[in-house]
Structure formats: C-alpha cells, structure tokens
Amino acid sequence: MDIFRGPDLNSSSSCNSTGSVHVTPSKSQKDLGVQLVLSLALGATALITFCVLRPRWPQLYAARKRRIEPQIRLPELGTSFFGWMPKLYRITEHEVLASAGLDAFVFLNFFKMAIRLFCVMGFFALVVLLPINNRFRDFRPTFGDNKTEDGKDISQLGLSPTLLPLDDDDSSFGMYKGGHHKDLSSERTYLWAYVFFTYLFVAMTMYTINWETIRIIKFRQDYLGSQSTVTDRTFRLTGVPEDLRSEGRVKHLIEKLEIGSVECVTMCRNWKEVDDLMDDRDKLLRKLETAWAKYLQSQNKDKQTQRPGQVAAPANGNPTPHIDEEAGETQRVLEDNTDNPHMMEGERPQTTIRYGPFLLRSRKVDAIDYYEEKLRRIDSKIVAARKKDFKPTDMALVTMDSVASCQMVIQARIDPRPGSLLTKATPAPSDLVWKNTYAMRGIRRLKSWSITTFICILTILWIFPTVFLASLLSFCTVEKTAPAFAAWLKDHPIMYSLLQNGVPTLVVSLLNVAVPYLYDWLSNYQGMISHGDVELSVISKNFFFTFFNTFFVFAISLTGLDFLSKLQDFLKDTSKIPRAISDDVEWLSVFYISFIMLQGIGLMPFRMLEFGSVVLHPIYRAMSSTPRDYAELEKPPVFQYGFYLPTALLIFNLCLIYSVLRWGFAILIFGIIYFVLGYFTFKYMVMYAMDQPQHATGGAWRIICYRIMIGLIIFEIVMVGQIAAESAFVQSIFILPLIPFTIWYSYYFKKRYEPLTKYIALRAIRSTEDHEDAVLMDEQFADEGESRPSQALFRRGSTLDEYREKGVTFVNPSLVVPLKQPWVYRDPPPLPTEEETNTSTEELPSLVMPNTVSGLGIGDANVWRDSGADAA
C-alpha cells in the first residue's frame, strides 16, 4: 500500500494554477524501489571498479602509504579482490590515531557514534513506533491548494488541511469518504508515544555526545600530553604594544612572569617584499623549466628523424647539450604529451619581451636565456631582501622550554588591558599562513566579517536557483512545457519515477559537491592564521549551506514558484513556520530516504574510487610538460574534512528529525547503512589514499557536537508542530521544555567540555620520568575495560606530530628555504647549500649552455638583458 499520495498522472487537476506543484519527488514505495536499484547499480559498479584498480594503481589508491615515513607502519591490505576489507576493519582506533592523527580519529569516531546511536533508535522505531504509525498515522496528504479532488475547500468540510487518517477499509486515494471524516479525539492518546520517544531520543543523543566527548578528550589529552613538539611549546602573542616589539623585550616580559624559560621568540614582521619575490621566483622557475622541456623534446624529435647511425648536427654549429642517460623516460613522456609543430629542427623556444616607453617595442629572444637571466636577477633581490630588517608587527611566536609552561600562558591572561598581549595556541609551522601573520588585525577582522557576510547572503540567494531547479523537475512543469514528453512518462512509470525521485536527489547531491569548492576558495581569503582554521571554517560554512538548502528550503515550501508568497506569509506571522515545517516534513520523507540512499549506497563507493581524480588525471597529465609537473601528479590528493563532514552531519540530523515519524524506521535504517559505508570508505581514504597536511588537533569535534544540537532543536520543533497539527495541544506543550533544555545543554557543553578540546590539561602533560603520574592516569582508564591509549599507541616513543615536526622551527620559509634550481632532467636537482643560497647572483651556477644558440651571441644577449629583462 502506498503511504503517500503523489500527483495523479491521469488527472489534469493534479497541477495547480502555477503549473508546478511540488519540489519533492513522487511518494510511492515503488519510487523507493527504483531509487534503491539505481543506487545499488551505481555503488556496485564503483566498488567493483575500485577493487579491480586498487592493486593496479597503487600510486593513486595507496599514495599516502607509499609516501609516509617508514617509521609509521600501516598494515598491508594485500592485492586480493575483497581481501582488503576484513584487514581494513581490523585496524584499531589506536592505529588510526598513531598513523593518521587526531583529526582522522575524531572524524571516524563520529561515524562510529552515529552507528551505535541509530542502531538503538532504529530498534525502537522498527519495533514500537512502526506498528503505532501503521495503526494511527496512515496518511493521505492534501494537495497544495487545500482542496479535495472534486475541488471542494477542505476548511468548508471541517477537515484539517494537513494530514488526516482514513478509515481502515478505505483503499482509495481520496482525502475523505462521502464528505465525512473520523472522529480524531479517540485516537490522540497514541501521541503520548511521540512525546515519550522524543524525550527518549533526545536523552540518548545527549548521553551519547557526553560519553563520546569524554572518551575523545581522554585520547586527545593523552596523545598531546605524551609528546613535546615545538608546536606544543609555542604560543601566539597578539596585541603586542609598540614599545615591546622586539624579541629581547618579549622574552624578558614572559620570563618575568616566572612560569618558565623562553627558548626563542619569533617576532612576526612585514615580510611582504620577500614573500612576493619568492612567489615571482616560483613562476619564473616553472617558465624556465617549461622552456627546457620544449627544447629537449625538440632535440628528441630531431634524433628520431635521423637515419640509423646518423648523428644530428647541432644548431648553428654549437655542441649538443649533455643529456642525462636517466632522462630517456621523462623525454618520452614529454614527447607523448606535448606537440610543437611550429618548432624548426634544432631550434630553441623563444619568447616575446616588451620594452621601451609604455612597453610599445617588442622582440623575440631565446626563452631559456631570458628566463635564466630573470631568475638570476630575482635571486639577487631575494638574497638582498633576506638581509633586511623588516618592520615588526603586533604578533610574536614564543617558544617555551616545556609544554606545561606554554599551556599555563595560553590558559591565562597576562595583561589587564583589553585586547593587549593576548595568548593563543599556535598551529604547526607547516600549517601557518605566514602572509596573514603580518597583516593588521583590523584588516584581517574586516576581511573575515566581509566574506562571512557575503557567504551568508550567497547561501540565502542559493534558494532561488535551488527552487527553480526543483520546479523544473516537477511533472507539472514537464506537462506544461513538453506535453509529448509528459505523455510518454505516463506510459513509462519507471522513467517517471526517475524524473520525480532520482533526478532531484542527484541534483541536490551534485550541488552539495560543487558549492563547497567555492566556499573553500572564499575561506582562504578571510585572513586566518592557519590552514587548520580554514578547514574548520569550511566545515561550518558548508554545513550551513547543505542544511539550509537541503532541509530548510524544501521544508518551508513544497511549491517551487510559490516560495516568495509563502515567505511573505511567514514574515507576517512567524507562528506559521513550525506548522508549515511539520506538515511539509511528512511530504519530504521519501525524498530524504532517496537522498540518503544515493549518498550512501550510490555515491560513497565513488569517493573511495576517487572518481574526480581518475577523471581529471589524464587532463592534468596532458597539461604537464616538465619533470616537476609529473612529480606533482604523484602526490596523494588532500583529504579535506570540509568537503565530507557537512553532508554526514546533514544526514545525522535528518535521522534525528525523522526518527519518530512515519518513515523514521526507513530513514534510520538507510542512515545506518550510510554511516557504516562511510566509516569504511573514509577510513581507507585517510589511512592509505589521501594526505592530511594540516591538523587541527581534533577541533572538528566541537563543530560536530554543536551542529547535532541544532538538529535536536529542529527535531523538537518539528515534533511540536506534528503533534499540534493533530490538535493535541497538551502533548505538544509537554515537548516544549526540551527546546530551552537543549539550548542550556549547549552552554553546559561549552563550559564543561570545550576547554579540554582546545587546550592540554597540565596533569596530562608528562615526561618519560613521570611514572607515578602515568600509573595514576592508567587507573582512570581501568574502569572502562580498555588499556590506556599510550600503552599501545606510543610504544615507539614518538607520535605522528613529532615525526612531522622533527627539526622544524617557527621561521618564515621565504627567509630560509633553499632556492630551488630548475628541474630539467629526470632526477631532481640537488638542493643548494646555505652558502650557495646566500651568494650573489654572479657566483650562481648557470644551466645555459656556453656560447649561444638560435643565432644570438653574447653581445646580442646583453641587448635584451639591458633593455627589456626587467620590463617584461
């Protein structure tokens, strides 16, 4: 029996006057079957393809394992077709923490928490709530215009314009029977079950959050307390007054506090000049390497066109440059991926330079000589710039002699003046965005608020294309714009189901994949100090977008073109919003089931397949021309939590919101499937396939918990509206206290747990000599029936962060990084020594061949060196 009634394909009255009814798909169980078959087909195809390609493409599917330090050992998964699955399952969370870090540990534990919680909730939804809903809530929703099928106004008949139960013997699709409806007063007692399970599920969710938070805090404190990296001993000091802006004065100020010795101080200075020079040098270096690649390819083609045994004559009588014997493979790759039909035999690539007044004069010169000279000149500027004394800013990075001293400073206030000498934790040196360390605080704050405001406005503006796309996908729009196609759909119910059910979920899924790239790009311009902060910001922004557009926009209005009029009504009377949401939530049940099906069963295996990387790899390879380009193709892709976590949080909240309702059991079942598949998929990605260059020390857990609390509040509002729609006001009033209680719980969580997700407790910090403290902490883990994480995790005597930060210091890389030489042949050039980096450009080695090529002599080369090199 169909639970929901969709538009009648054989009745013209199913479409309203606007020509469009519902942004939701049709709502029959048959549609769910079609969506399930489609999702299974997509997922099975991707999974089988992955199992076939995984052992054949280890450079992609085991990229991280091939490049991590040998000390970090990952279990071998083997090359069998399905044999990798049980081995991946047996990887413990201790091994995840040791080899992938805190962020991966927190991310995967969110999936495990969801599985445990929804298994229990799903049991109650299936065993208790499903029989209740089948007995009392066998709904037939009304049309959008609140009229019966024969055009009578429901309000005139005394019927509720929302969801009404039919008689048990009613098998028709009508809203009423003979103009009469059943007395609902005898049936409202079942709504107390809704009240009970709303309280139960809210309590279970909060208990699960508490239990998992305490557990994560213990792992986090033990992990961070057992290590002593330069990051753990360094804090960021902002708001430094002008009279204290020197390394010596800051060191004296901190040591006067008598909380420890200062190891070193890095005063952030205005390094914009040297940073810009390094950026320009990187661009020049790549242009020079591209020119060399073109020339070597031309030489290789010349050799292939010669008769066997004939030696190619060098251009202009110059000696042929030495070609490394190991460069043969690279040259063949370059030849296969680049075609230069315009080049003559033996000719070197040229480039056009402009010089003179207003750069009106131009001349073609040898590209290799030109870029080599430009590189020499910019190297000279960099060497000179590195010796300058740059103006200090109001920020300093202070490294203490111990982790405990650093944590005491971070968790304290050292100056009575507001905004002065503020202390914060410092990200790792490789995680710092150095260009933002010397930006003015006011400018960074202005950029942050401006982009945040722009993103909020943009997210709201996404309503209109979302509603427009949804209205285009409705059957009534098709019937109005393409009657012949609509008639064909009536004769093919499976295709109709795909249009009404599969296509909208696919469009929403693709939108949720595409938009995060835009938000990620915008977040990088907000002036944040670290890449980890950017990642957390992307998670928040993308969740706001996915939740707002996927749930709120669909739930607030079922009619695409009627959205603005409904929005005006809600602005006039906001009390209508809970009732409208509760009514429309029932309509959207099948849509969200289809959405979760597609995300979990259909698209999750594609994430493990890295479909985007596979598709784009030939394109990137065709665009590559230099050895450096090909080496960068071998780097593992970056795992970005901001792209994956928001969708998982959305599905978690959908499972909460629908847990008590008619289709709650189905949404919970497919939600469990989503999180099970997601756990295995993302576990493989973070462990074997993808890199995580930045680490936020598990900071995403705070975002996860607060977003779940938002879902709880929406769940409670929906249940109030659902029960109030049945005129059961007493039961709905009993749910109202949950809303302020959930808000209070968020403040409770913030005060009790959040500090321990940001800082390291002093008692958790220990050295190798702190045996008594270690025994005491072990006893605190004993009551949980598991060993202390450090016993199994850190037996090698080091953590992943300590491996990452071995030998690094808080110094702007632009000041000390060796100046890379052009990568011409297969093997990368050796890094220059510190002495070579600091020499003048006249002493730098040259890659250009002696004399000249392409008909230019030394004297000719000086012409463009003097007149146009700097002007180009």
Side-chain angles (χ1 to χ4, degrees):
M1 178 181 67
D2 287 342
I3 303 300
F4 291 102
R5 178 176 186 272
D8 186 0
L9 295 180
N10 297 318
S11 173
S12 60
S13 64
S14 63
C15 297
N16 60 23
S17 59
T18 63
S20 176
V21 273
H22 311 302
V23 298
T24 64
S26 56
K27 304 168 180 63
S28 67
Q29 294 174 352
K30 181 179 180 180
D31 295 330
L32 288 180
V34 172
Q35 182 69 18
L36 180 59
V37 171
L38 176 63
S39 300
L40 285 172
L42 288 173
T45 302
L47 179 60
I48 293 173
T49 304
F50 172 78
C51 292
V52 171
L53 296 180
R54 187 184 66 87
R56 290 173 172 79
W57 290 358
Q59 67 275 17
L60 177 62
Y61 296 119
R64 180 175 182 269
K65 187 178 187 304
R66 289 159 57 93
R67 297 176 67 92
I68 60 176
E69 297 86 347
Q71 298 92 336
I72 304 175
R73 299 177 181 177
L74 289 177
E76 294 289 342
L77 297 183
T79 58
S80 59
F81 200 77
F82 290 121
W84 59 274
M85 294 182 181
K87 294 180 180 179
L88 181 67
Y89 171 77
R90 287 194 292 267
I91 295 178
T92 66
E93 56 187 9
H94 296 295
E95 293 176 305
V96 172
L97 188 56
S99 59
L102 270 170
D103 291 331
F105 173 80
V106 165
F107 181 68
L108 295 177
N109 268 270
F110 165 63
F111 281 77
K112 293 172 66 176
M113 180 190 76
I115 295 170
R116 289 193 296 265
L117 176 63
F118 293 149
C119 281
V120 179
M121 293 172 61
F123 171 80
F124 287 111
L126 192 62
V127 175
V128 182
L129 288 171
L130 180 59
I132 293 176
N133 285 323
N134 282 340
R135 175 66 180 85
F136 298 103
R137 304 259 309 168
D138 193 5
F139 294 124
R140 301 292 184 267
T142 66
F143 293 106
D145 53 5
N146 289 338
K147 293 183 179 180
T148 62
E149 286 186 331
D150 57 357
K152 295 181 180 180
D153 194 323
I154 292 174
S155 61
Q156 296 177 0
L157 298 176
L159 299 176
S160 171
T162 56
L163 305 174
L164 298 176
L166 294 173
D167 293 309
D168 294 337
D169 59 346
D170 186 10
S171 59
S172 68
F173 284 101
M175 277 299 301
Y176 62 98
K177 196 173 186 178
H180 302 288
H181 66 286
K182 296 176 65 175
D183 183 14
L184 301 179
S185 60
S186 61
E187 296 181 356
R188 291 174 185 158
T189 54
Y190 79 91
L191 294 174
W192 285 108
Y194 277 25
V195 176
F196 173 79
F197 280 103
T198 301
Y199 272 86
L200 178 62
F201 289 170
V202 169
M204 287 172 54
T205 304
M206 290 183 177
Y207 173 80
T208 304
I209 291 175
N210 275 2
W211 185 85
E212 195 67 38
T213 301
I214 293 172
R215 189 167 174 273
I216 286 176
I217 285 174
K218 287 183 177 180
F219 274 89
R220 181 182 185 275
Q221 294 292 321
D222 192 73
Y223 181 92
L224 297 178
S226 65
Q227 65 184 21
S228 180
T229 66
V230 65
T231 300
D232 298 320
R233 293 183 289 110
T234 303
F235 67 90
R236 180 160 45 106
L237 189 66
T238 60
V240 180
E242 291 190 6
D243 58 335
L244 293 177
R245 293 181 184 178
S246 70
E247 284 79 359
R249 293 175 181 175
V250 170
K251 180 179 180 180
H252 178 70
L253 170 69
I254 301 301
E255 289 184 338
K256 277 183 63 177
L257 301 177
E258 298 181 353
I259 55 177
S261 300
V262 176
E263 198 170 271
C264 68
V265 176
T266 299
M267 201 74 210
C268 296
R269 301 175 183 273
N270 189 359
W271 295 304
K272 179 175 172 52
E273 178 185 351
V274 68
D275 284 337
D276 291 344
L277 286 173
M278 290 297 293
D279 291 340
D280 293 341
R281 186 186 191 278
D282 184 70
K283 296 175 184 177
L284 278 175
L285 188 68
R286 292 180 178 272
K287 289 180 179 180
L288 176 59
E289 290 172 347
T290 302
W292 267 106
K294 290 180 179 179
Y295 175 69
L296 293 178
Q297 180 197 7
S298 173
Q299 294 293 305
N300 195 39
K301 284 186 177 180
D302 292 344
K303 289 184 178 180
Q304 292 181 353
T305 57
Q306 298 297 322
R307 292 190 301 272
Q310 182 178 358
V311 179
N316 302 313
N318 292 319
T320 304
H322 170 70
I323 303 296
D324 194 333
E325 293 180 356
E326 296 182 353
E329 181 179 344
T330 300
Q331 291 181 357
R332 286 192 297 272
V333 171
L334 296 175
E335 178 184 356
D336 293 338
N337 291 277
T338 309
D339 187 20
N340 296 287
H342 64 280
M343 292 187 61
M344 299 173 59
E345 179 179 344
E347 184 176 292
R348 304 222 314 176
Q350 293 185 331
T351 187
T352 301
I353 63 171
R354 293 187 174 275
Y355 58 96
F358 304 105
L359 303 179
L360 295 177
R361 300 183 62 185
S362 64
R363 182 181 181 183
K364 285 189 175 182
V365 297
D366 183 275
I368 295 178
D369 284 344
Y370 174 69
Y371 291 127
E372 176 68 17
E373 177 64 19
K374 292 277 288 185
L375 192 65
R376 284 171 169 271
R377 295 194 177 192
I378 202 168
D379 284 352
S380 177
K381 294 179 181 179
I382 291 173
V383 171
R386 287 178 171 180
K387 298 176 182 178
K388 289 184 178 180
D389 186 15
F390 297 97
K391 181 180 179 181
T393 65
D394 68 338
M395 183 185 299
L397 305 174
V398 184
T399 302
M400 305 295 292
D401 62 338
S402 67
V403 178
S405 299
C406 179
Q407 288 299 312
M408 282 190 284
V409 177
I410 291 174
Q411 301 177 42
R413 289 292 179 263
I414 63 177
D415 195 277
R417 294 169 294 180
S420 180
L421 296 176
L422 302 178
T423 55
K424 298 180 181 179
T426 301
S430 59
D431 195 32
L432 271 172
V433 182
W434 287 95
K435 291 185 178 180
N436 292 332
T437 61
Y438 51 79
M440 296 178 60
R441 276 198 299 173
I443 298 298
R444 289 195 292 113
R445 190 176 293 113
L446 178 62
K447 289 169 62 177
S448 178
W449 281 105
S450 299
I451 292 180
T452 300
T453 304
F454 174 74
I455 288 178
C456 290
I457 297 174
L458 186 62
T459 300
I460 296 175
L461 292 178
W462 275 112
I463 293 174
F464 301 100
T466 302
V467 171
F468 177 72
L469 286 174
S471 63
L472 287 180
L473 296 172
S474 71
F475 177 79
C476 293
T477 303
V478 174
E479 190 175 39
K480 182 178 180 180
T481 57
F485 182 56
W488 182 82
L489 287 175
K490 290 180 180 180
D491 298 331
H492 298 80
I494 293 180
M495 298 305 298
Y496 168 78
S497 177
L498 286 176
L499 174 70
Q500 290 289 92
N501 202 57
V503 177
T505 55
L506 183 61
V507 169
V508 172
S509 299
L510 293 178
L511 194 64
N512 289 345
V513 169
V515 172
Y517 286 95
L518 172 63
Y519 286 177
D520 178 67
W521 180 76
L522 290 173
S523 297
N524 279 281
Y525 287 92
Q526 282 193 268
M528 298 181 186
I529 295 298
S530 71
H531 298 287
D533 291 339
V534 173
E535 189 79 13
L536 296 179
S537 175
V538 172
I539 294 174
S540 297
K541 293 180 177 65
N542 286 340
F543 172 80
F544 177 52
F545 168 78
T546 55
F547 188 78
F548 186 81
N549 281 272
T550 307
F551 177 76
F552 184 74
V553 173
F554 281 86
I556 200 174
S557 176
L558 292 175
T559 53
L561 301 179
D562 196 34
F563 176 79
L564 288 179
S565 61
K566 282 205 169 188
L567 187 60
Q568 292 176 355
D569 292 340
F570 294 147
L571 293 176
K572 294 177 182 178
D573 186 2
T574 56
S575 63
K576 294 181 179 179
I577 294 179
R579 177 68 174 268
I581 292 179
S582 65
D583 292 348
D584 294 352
V585 158
E586 288 283 357
W587 279 97
L588 291 164
S589 299
V590 176
F591 171 79
Y592 287 129
I593 294 174
S594 302
F595 175 76
I596 297 173
M597 275 187 198
L598 184 65
Q599 287 289 327
I601 302 174
L603 299 183
M604 193 63 74
F606 277 94
R607 297 189 185 278
M608 191 158 48
L609 184 62
E610 298 183 41
F611 183 74
S613 299
V614 173
V615 171
L616 295 176
H617 185 78
I619 300 175
Y620 290 149
R621 188 172 182 85
M623 296 171 59
S624 301
S625 59
T626 68
R628 194 183 304 275
D629 293 337
Y630 287 103
E632 290 175 351
L633 288 177
E634 300 297 323
K635 292 182 179 179
V638 176
F639 187 89
Q640 294 182 277
Y641 295 96
F643 284 37
Y644 305 116
L645 186 54
T647 300
L649 283 169
L650 170 66
I651 293 176
F652 188 101
N653 284 338
L654 289 176
C655 291
L656 282 179
I657 293 168
Y658 280 92
S659 57
V660 179
L661 301 183
R662 177 67 179 87
W663 281 99
F665 74 98
I667 288 184
L668 285 170
I669 289 173
F670 286 108
I672 293 169
I673 295 174
Y674 169 85
F675 283 104
V676 169
L677 295 177
Y679 175 76
F680 279 95
T681 297
F682 294 126
K683 188 176 184 179
Y684 181 88
M685 292 168 67
V686 299
M687 294 285 286
Y688 290 90
M690 290 189 170
D691 239 346
Q692 304 170 70
Q694 64 270 359
H695 51 104
T697 63
W701 185 251
R702 298 188 297 273
I703 297 178
I704 290 172
C705 293
Y706 288 130
R707 299 315 179 267
I708 291 176
M709 294 173 200
I710 292 175
L712 284 175
I713 293 174
I714 299 297
F715 169 48
E716 294 151 7
I717 292 174
V718 167
M719 293 311 301
V720 169
Q722 284 283 323
I723 297 175
E726 299 298 323
S727 300
F729 300 109
V730 175
Q731 290 92 329
S732 64
I733 290 174
F734 266 82
I735 293 181
L736 285 176
L738 282 176
I739 298 175
F741 177 77
T742 305
I743 296 174
W744 168 86
Y745 174 75
S746 66
Y747 287 100
Y748 169 81
F749 182 91
K750 183 179 180 65
K751 293 188 66 176
R752 183 176 179 87
Y753 298 121
E754 184 174 324
L756 291 173
T757 65
K758 288 183 176 181
Y759 310 117
I760 306 175
L762 297 181
R763 283 191 62 205
I765 301 169
R766 64 192 181 280
S767 62
T768 55
E769 292 81 13
D770 296 335
H771 298 297
E772 294 182 1
D773 290 341
V775 171
L776 179 61
M777 294 290 286
D778 286 337
E779 292 175 354
Q780 296 177 6
F781 274 77
D783 59 347
E784 300 180 7
E786 59 178 316
S787 63
R788 190 181 187 203
S790 60
Q791 293 176 349
L793 180 62
F794 309 124
R795 60 185 56 173
R796 294 191 302 268
S798 185
T799 66
L800 179 65
D801 292 342
E802 288 177 317
Y803 279 121
R804 283 174 170 171
E805 299 181 24
K806 189 176 297 183
V808 300
T809 57
F810 280 94
V811 179
N812 187 347
S814 297
L815 299 176
V816 295
V817 68
L819 301 179
K820 297 179 293 187
Q821 296 304 305
W823 190 346
V824 177
Y825 303 115
R826 178 177 181 180
D827 293 331
L831 292 176
T833 63
E834 182 178 355
E835 181 180 354
E836 292 175 336
T837 300
N838 293 328
T839 56
S840 62
T841 53
E842 286 76 8
E843 300 171 352
L844 289 175
S846 175
L847 265 173
V848 186
M849 294 179 294
N851 301 324
T852 61
V853 243
S854 303
L856 282 175
I858 293 294
D860 298 321
N862 288 332
V863 173
W864 60 262
R865 286 179 181 173
D866 294 337
S867 61
D870 287 335

